[in-house]
Amino acid sequence: MKSPDTVPAQAAPWAQTASGRALPLGRAIEPGGLDIRRDIAIPLGNTGRFANQTASGVIYPVAQHCCIGADWIMAQTFDYRLAMAFLIHDAPEGPLGDWTTPVLQAMQMLLDEMRREAGHDLVPRISMAAIKKRLSDPIDRYVHAEAGLPWPLPRDIAAYVHLIDRRMLKVEREHLLARPPRAWDAGLEQVKPLPLKQRIKPMSPAKAAENWISRFEEWSQRLHADRVAGHGGLTALAMSIREAAL
């Protein structure tokens, strides 16, 4: 019996994208396999953060979340490479949707219960987070290549993006959600919210998508030009970004 890894992209489960492409799920994406505007930007504009459970009932687009964080990074560091890394960090949610952390945790809990019911020694433990990563990785690789960034990102840059994402989450909770009925995870409670100058006001999905794609197009042109010129390497940048997160 062949390993599942040997299943070619053409035979893998696939999803039809907005542009009419067949997106192989969990397999490498061929050049031209995604339309950044129609298959990534617009769906990110139409996808609401927090499973649309905002206090106002108004959708808060993932695309807007990405732009706010990217703009803050740009204002602090003047580095479009870091800003782009944040802008596209949720790109897989365009084709795959937003798998919220509580839902992933609940799926893991139920999967572990099913494993115990079947017998620990018969069924190996399967990580839902790892499944999500294996589905997301081909999309991340494709979008980062289109953007002019490597995938995976250097470890320090990935950690920086994650930290800003957590700080964004903290301020978004304050601005957009109802008062929490109980504490969230201990790590988040210790994180400083991102010091935004203005309170977040959800924008329309169309406006959020347009803001996202305009930044992507501007910064990707600069990143690809840097690569052609032999400039813009991320090694030195990865060594200095920790101070930018403070």
Side-chain angles (χ1 to χ4, degrees), residues 9 15 29 34-35 45 57 61 65 68 70 80 113 123 157 171 181 188 192 206 211 232 236 241:
I29 304 170
L34 282 171
D35 181 299
H65 156 80
I68 292 173
Y80 50 86
E113 290 177 358
V123 183
I157 293 179
V171 73
L188 180 67
K192 295 179 181 179
N211 285 352
I241 59 168

Side-chain angles (χ1 to χ4, degrees), residues 63-218:
Q64 183 179 2
H65 156 80
C66 295
C67 288
I68 292 173
D71 288 350
W72 187 88
I73 290 171
M74 193 67 171
Q76 296 298 311
T77 69
F78 306 101
D79 197 303
Y80 50 86
R81 297 168 296 176
L82 283 178
M84 176 67 96
F86 191 89
L87 183 77
I88 62 178
H89 79 281
D90 280 334
E93 293 182 12
L96 300 178
D98 181 11
W99 297 20
T100 64
T101 297
V103 169
L104 276 173
Q105 292 172 340
M107 292 171 72
Q108 185 68 62
M109 177 187 70
L110 294 174
L111 193 61
D112 289 343
E113 290 177 358
M114 294 168 67
R115 176 174 174 263
R116 286 193 294 271
E117 293 166 1
H120 289 81
D121 52 348
L122 298 177
V123 183
R125 189 175 191 275
I126 299 173
S127 166
M128 288 304 305
I131 291 174
K132 180 185 178 184
K133 186 176 187 305
R134 290 187 68 163
L135 282 171
S136 299
D137 265 356
I139 301 171
D140 270 322
R141 187 175 301 278
Y142 184 95
V143 175
H144 279 72
E146 291 289 303
L149 290 176
W151 182 260
L153 290 168
R155 183 177 300 177
D156 284 346
I157 293 179
Y160 175 73
V161 169
H162 178 69
L163 174 59
I164 300 305
D165 197 30
R166 297 279 282 175
R167 297 183 70 184
M168 278 287 299
L169 176 60
K170 191 72 172 287
V171 73
E172 288 166 339
R173 187 180 71 172
E174 294 177 1
H175 290 188
L176 300 167
L177 302 188
R179 186 179 184 86
R182 63 181 70 171
W184 288 20
D185 69 88
L188 180 67
E189 299 302 343
Q190 297 173 4
V191 169
K192 295 179 181 179
L194 209 64
L196 302 180
K197 294 182 178 180
Q198 296 180 333
R199 192 170 186 84
I200 298 173
K201 295 182 179 180
M203 61 179 53
S204 72
K207 179 62 175 177
E210 192 57 39
N211 285 352
W212 191 97
I213 197 65
S214 67
R215 286 160 176 73
F216 183 91
E217 290 175 346
E218 176 186 349

Side-chain angles (χ1 to χ4, degrees), residues 227-239:
R227 178 169 295 183
V228 171
H231 301 150
L234 297 182
T235 302
L237 176 63
M239 299 174 62

